Amino acid sequence: MIARVIVDISSSQVDRVFDYLAIDGAVRGSRVLVPFGARNIEGYVIDLAESTDVPPDKLKSIYSLLDDRPIVSEEFLALCDYMTARFHLRKIDVFRLFLPAKMRGDRIKALEKSIVFVNPEYADADPALFIKKSAHAQAEVFEYVRESGSVEQSYLNAEFSAAAVRNLISRGIFATRTETVLRTPYKGIVKKDNEITLTDEQRAAADCIMTSERPTLLFGVTGSGKTEVYLDCIEKTLQAGKTAIMLVPEISLTPQVMRIFRSRFGDDVALLHSGLSDGERFDEWRRLLLGSAKVAVGARSAIFAPLENIGLIVIDEEHDSSYISDSNPRYITREVAFFRARHNGARVVMGSATPSMESYHAAQNGSYTLARLPNRINKRDMPDIELVNMCREATYGNSGMFSAKLVAALDECLKAGNQAILFLNRRGYSSFVMCRKCGYVAKCEDCDVSLVYHKEDDVLKCHYCNRRYAKLDLCPSCKSPHIKQGFMGTERIVEQVNAIFPSARIIRMDNDTTRTKDAHLRILGDFASGNADILVGTQMVAKGHDFPNVTLVGIIDADMSLHFSDYRAVERTFQLITQVAGRAGRERKAGRVILQTYSPNHYVYRYAAAYDYEGFYTKEINLLQATDFPPFTDVLRLLISCENESVALDATKLAIDGVRAVAAVFPDEFVYLNAMRAPKKRIQSKHRMQVLMRIRPNNAVVRAEIYRVADEVAAAFPQATCFTEINPNDLS
Ligand code: ADP
Ligand code: ZN
Ligand code: ZN
């Protein structure tokens, strides 16, 4: 028998199937070791065959099986085919998504413990017959184990004499066996009875989700109780003997959320997120694989949870950009979810207070079912959003970053003993270093993007390659000392708040302060427990956290995401404002939101301040339709990068010629097509060129043709990389 194997090497040259002589037990989905070149490497059997074109003297045999069962199910084999075709991925890169990273290469194993029990021969005997009178330690541990039955050896070693334990084992008085133990996160949280009864609105939404043949979009304002609806649907799914997947954005995987799930579903739930240790993640994954856990809760990658018989897939905060993977392997989580739902006959629900244009459009045209929760559970109104025109502040002589109104509101909030959040919109914004005299902007020599000043290290850094540069005292171009350290960053805000309110306790949350594992959870925990008065942060503070004492939210620079060169910029701004505003006044206390802007007349602010999602949607979707952007087209990009500029240019020429030939065959499908340098012309010394196109949406035939062109380019120019993106978050 011939086994067709994908080997665990990610390179376009190796992205094909290799034939090996099968060994006993190797079946579709087995993880195996195979000889490859001079060594053995891991691989996956994707099929078995009777014959091969490989000549017998060249045909090698699989070296060994790595697990006692096939690890990739038939569903995942089919999903791999689907994903490689749809997103133009290498097979091995898709397989890598299916297994916990540390499992590959056997870097992690099940944790085993030694269990000690009394050898039955000695169980009823008089210990005086085999334990010397002077050996008190042996007598003591013997009695303990005899009474307890079986005990972990590590416990005995710690609590009693390890030497005595060893002695009794060596003489056969104690026997041992090994057991696999699971490293379970949040083990301490026990299952509790559910005390919440759904409101009529929630009941109707849950029923709609569980009966709809199509995916359901759950459009519910913040605080409308969407989570309870999901929990109810998951419970029904488990009662029907099926399993469920619940996806949330990584940043909202707070201990709060995990507690909710564990207390509702106990050991039935497995948590998959980056804050767990490798061992914990591996064990949670294994519990899903073995069927001892039936609900997977996690970020994007939890869509690959090894569950069978899935009855429900929940995508919470469906508009969140983290559901689109922007680096290899690039994929769209929702489309993977739809595949798994089709395969398993499962329901899908996507929830949001600010659905993406795409999803709401699909709900309008009937591809999705729409369920609504228009009211907050506590009936509290959403906080007022007050716009402040920052241009007017400047004419009145206030050139600082806080308006008079925001300062007064902060003062009032602090005096009342409440908490405030100051939100800095970092999306698409660069805090560049500029000469005020000649306009020189400091850029990375390798990447051609603006450098950012980091106060803590007192250096300039490139955010794309991490290269560091000495801070500028004089302009390199005109020697002027008037260097402006860009726009404000969170550090500058903290500094300025400190200057105005010296006694306020402030914590900062941004990419710099949350590098380490769990850092963002620690910061949020600190703030929630009242250890600070003001939380200054970027996007990360916007996501579903509950802070009952927050009565004021200040949005320092609302416009920053508005002027970003991205068709989703306005939509993202609306979502951010609505989300950040939802942080104020969640509990008993009323909240207030102060939004500072240099474009107070932009329609996005009018709709956001009125909490008018549907008005905003109507305006925005018409603009997208008029300008031919998604969901009315797919944005596709072939990105070519190479250290050698002329190779990059030649490859791009081949790419654009190839795509033009496709466009000649399908003229009605192309709305836009052009080749150019990418906005970031160089990153890590590589020149970046792109073929950018917009095509009619969901045309698999045209996509496949474009992917074929990309493959041809990659084959013709091995030094260059060429990859494809569909509707990416970021076109830089
Ligand atoms: P959303 O996810 O829509 O923002 P949540 O699910 O966080 O809203 O619900 C907001 C609050 O209302 C939570 O504290 C939740 O426990 C509470 N809640 C939800 N449904 C009910 C209900 N039927 N009865 C009482 N409290 C509820
Ligand atoms: Zn200068
Ligand atoms: Zn750089």
Side-chain angles (χ1 to χ4, degrees):
M1 199 59 118
I2 302 300
R4 320 208 63 210
V5 175
I6 297 289
V7 295
D8 198 354
I9 297 175
S10 180
S11 123
S12 44
Q13 278 83 44
V14 184
D15 184 30
R16 60 182 187 86
V17 181
F18 292 89
D19 285 357
Y20 288 90
L21 211 55
I23 56 173
D24 254 9
V27 293
R28 281 165 63 91
S30 296
R31 198 164 60 110
V32 292
L33 271 186
V34 291
F36 195 84
R39 60 200 175 111
N40 284 331
I41 60 170
E42 246 175 77
Y44 302 90
V45 177
I46 62 158
D47 212 352
L48 294 174
E50 295 294 338
S51 61
T52 174
D53 298 337
V54 180
D57 58 318
K58 290 269 163 57
L59 190 66
K60 293 182 196 158
S61 168
I62 290 178
Y63 181 75
S64 66
L65 281 176
L66 280 170
D67 314 281
D68 52 11
R69 47 151 70 216
I71 211 108
V72 182
S73 67
E74 288 295 329
E75 179 189 356
F76 280 108
L77 289 172
L79 178 58
C80 178
D81 288 342
Y82 169 80
M83 288 180 71
T84 47
R86 179 146 183 104
F87 305 118
H88 195 226
L89 302 174
R90 289 177 197 138
K91 280 196 161 47
I92 190 60
D93 290 338
V94 177
F95 272 103
R96 286 176 179 181
L97 291 169
F98 297 164
L99 304 184
K102 291 285 154 67
M103 180 172 177
R104 296 175 20 239
D106 270 344
R107 278 164 295 176
I108 201 158
K109 292 232 160 57
L111 182 65
E112 296 195 325
K113 284 203 173 163
S114 166
I115 307 289
V116 175
F117 55 99
V118 176
N119 192 333
E121 280 174 49
Y122 294 89
D124 298 317
D126 178 0
L129 296 173
F130 46 87
I131 294 177
K132 277 192 243 139
K133 220 172 170 183
S134 59
H136 299 296
Q138 291 184 20
E140 200 187 2
V141 69
F142 179 80
E143 276 315 319
Y144 180 82
V145 174
R146 178 148 80 172
E147 267 169 40
S148 318
S150 5
V151 188
E152 278 178 24
Q153 187 173 353
S154 58
Y155 177 81
L156 295 178
N157 288 345
E159 295 295 314
F160 299 88
S161 153
V165 175
R166 258 198 320 276
N167 178 295
L168 292 173
I169 292 173
S170 71
R171 292 197 285 135
I173 296 164
F174 279 169
T176 61
R177 62 169 186 269
T178 49
E179 265 178 20
T180 311
V181 287
L182 294 167
R183 291 150 283 206
T184 310
Y186 302 92
K187 202 181 334 203
I189 303 167
V190 292
K191 187 167 167 170
K192 283 205 226 80
D193 283 339
N194 169 33
E195 287 143 14
I196 287 182
T197 316
L198 294 191
T199 62
D200 292 345
E201 265 182 8
Q202 286 173 313
R203 181 81 270 144
D207 291 345
C208 173
I209 292 163
M210 295 307 278
T211 51
S212 170
E213 291 296 327
R214 282 166 299 206
T216 303
L217 177 64
L218 178 59
F219 170 38
V221 298
T222 34
S224 59
K226 292 187 287 295
T227 311
E228 287 301 329
V229 172
Y230 304 142
L231 291 169
D232 186 80
C233 293
I234 294 172
E235 205 155 274
K236 295 268 154 54
T237 304
L238 294 183
Q239 279 162 9
K242 298 184 175 184
T243 64
I245 297 177
M246 165 99 191
L247 303 179
V248 298
E250 176 81 43
I251 203 80
S252 11
L253 268 174
T254 57
Q256 215 170 323
V257 169
M258 307 205 241
R259 212 164 281 132
I260 290 174
F261 275 86
R262 266 201 79 84
S263 66
R264 189 72 168 262
F265 300 111
D267 284 338
D268 276 343
V269 66
L271 304 167
L272 303 167
H273 81 107
S274 59
L276 304 182
S277 70
D278 291 333
E280 285 174 334
R281 222 174 331 166
F282 175 71
D283 285 351
E284 289 289 80
W285 182 85
R286 256 169 40 101
R287 291 205 303 126
L288 292 163
L289 180 75
L290 302 175
S292 78
K294 299 181 176 63
V295 184
V297 179
R300 173 174 80 210
S301 60
I303 194 59
F304 302 108
L307 284 167
E308 286 175 0
N309 195 15
I310 300 169
L312 178 71
I313 299 175
V314 180
I315 306 179
D316 190 26
E317 310 280 356
E318 66 86 26
H319 62 273
D320 194 273
S321 57
S322 71
Y323 289 123
I324 298 176
S325 163
D326 268 340
S327 56
N328 187 43
R330 296 173 172 76
Y331 64 90
I332 297 171
T333 309
R334 184 188 51 227
E335 297 185 0
V336 178
F338 289 173
F339 177 94
R340 298 204 70 184
R342 274 196 303 277
H343 197 275
N344 287 271
R347 314 278 176 207
V348 178
V349 54
M350 296 165 283
S352 176
T354 52
S356 62
M357 293 293 116
E358 222 171 334
S359 294
Y360 205 74
H361 182 67
Q364 295 293 307
N365 71 22
S367 317
Y368 299 167
T369 304
L370 184 63
R372 285 165 199 272
L373 293 174
N375 300 300
R376 295 183 113 180
I377 288 286
N378 57 13
K379 298 279 185 273
R380 195 170 258 306
D381 288 333
M382 293 294 287
D384 278 338
I385 298 181
E386 306 160 47
L387 297 191
V388 176
N389 181 346
M390 289 305 279
C391 303
R392 199 173 295 160
E393 293 282 317
T395 36
Y396 291 153
N398 176 5
S399 57
M401 52 180 76
F402 304 123
S403 59
K405 192 172 203 167
L406 182 55
V407 173
L410 264 174
D411 189 44
E412 194 182 309
C413 169
L414 295 172
K415 282 201 176 113
N418 293 325
Q419 289 177 300
I421 294 177
L422 295 179
F423 173 72
L424 187 70
N425 193 347
R426 289 287 284 270
R427 170 169 273 276
Y429 135 116
S430 57
S431 52
F432 51 82
V433 179
M434 191 181 86
C435 169
R436 290 185 205 234
K437 202 166 156 221
C438 76
Y440 167 89
V441 173
K443 288 191 167 185
C444 175
E445 288 168 19
D446 292 332
C447 304
D448 196 40
V449 296
S450 311
L451 297 172
V452 178
Y453 176 63
H454 282 247
K455 191 170 168 130
E456 276 152 7
D457 311 331
D458 201 30
V459 292
L460 306 179
K461 277 191 207 165
C462 169
H463 280 188
Y464 284 85
C465 72
N466 230 6
R467 188 163 160 190
R468 294 153 162 255
Y469 296 81
K471 171 175 111 170
L472 298 180
D473 294 318
L474 291 180
C475 168
S477 170
C478 75
K479 309 295 174 221
S480 149
H482 297 289
I483 306 284
K484 178 176 167 341
Q485 304 289 8
F487 287 125
M488 61 221 154
T490 42
E491 291 171 59
R492 287 262 320 272
I493 297 203
V494 171
E495 231 173 66
Q496 301 226 342
V497 182
N498 253 328
I500 309 173
F501 303 103
S503 61
R505 297 164 304 161
I506 307 168
I507 25 182
R508 178 161 76 90
M509 176 154 151
D510 56 25
N511 281 330
D512 289 331
T513 61
T514 55
R515 283 265 156 76
T516 56
K517 175 175 157 235
D518 285 350
H520 77 271
L521 297 181
R522 208 179 49 243
I523 294 175
L524 293 172
D526 254 15
F527 188 59
S529 58
N531 289 339
D533 307 305
I534 302 174
L535 174 63
V536 174
T538 52
Q539 262 69 318
M540 307 178 185
V541 306
K543 306 283 165 68
H545 314 291
D546 254 319
F547 301 115
N549 278 319
V550 170
T551 57
L552 174 67
V553 168
I555 304 177
I556 307 295
D557 53 352
D559 307 336
M560 280 307 163
S561 58
L562 206 52
H563 304 307
F564 192 41
S565 56
D566 170 359
Y567 70 92
R568 292 191 183 98
V570 181
E571 174 185 348
R572 296 271 190 241
T573 306
F574 185 91
Q575 288 160 352
L576 269 173
I577 295 170
T578 311
Q579 259 176 15
V580 187
R583 299 309 114 220
R586 299 235 343 152
E587 300 282 315
R588 296 159 303 279
K589 298 173 182 171
R592 160 168 201 210
V593 179
I594 294 179
L595 184 157
Q596 306 190 147
T597 169
Y598 288 91
S599 322
N601 297 321
H602 196 286
Y603 63 89
V604 71
Y605 298 126
R606 203 167 65 242
Y607 289 116
Y611 293 100
D612 181 5
Y613 173 81
E614 275 152 308
F616 172 70
Y617 166 80
T618 308
K619 168 100 185 168
E620 191 65 15
I621 201 80
N622 285 326
L623 282 173
L624 291 170
Q625 181 156 32
T627 49
D628 271 324
F629 272 97
F632 303 97
T633 51
D634 281 333
V635 172
L636 248 99
R637 159 160 100 159
L638 297 190
L639 190 85
I640 292 149
S641 63
C642 187
E643 296 209 354
N644 183 323
E645 188 171 13
S646 75
V647 172
L649 284 165
D650 290 347
T652 308
K653 174 92 175 51
L654 184 65
I656 183 72
D657 288 348
V659 177
R660 286 216 171 100
V662 177
V665 182
F666 301 95
D668 296 341
E669 298 298 310
F670 282 75
V671 172
Y672 174 89
L673 170 61
N674 218 337
M676 68 206 80
R677 286 185 187 274
K680 303 230 163 78
K681 297 186 192 71
R682 272 167 82 209
I683 290 184
Q684 288 171 342
S685 307
K686 290 196 170 127
H687 296 269
R688 304 167 83 241
M689 316 280 301
Q690 61 186 16
V691 175
L692 200 56
M693 59 204 114
R694 297 208 298 282
I695 61 175
R696 289 297 159 205
N698 275 315
N699 190 322
V701 178
V702 174
R703 267 194 209 181
E705 285 295 298
I706 293 166
Y707 292 163
R708 181 185 49 75
V709 172
D711 287 340
E712 283 167 15
V713 173
F717 296 93
Q719 320 95 293
T721 48
C722 172
F723 61 75
T724 50
E725 295 169 302
I726 307 174
N727 301 333
N729 281 317
D730 184 2
L731 272 183
S732 56

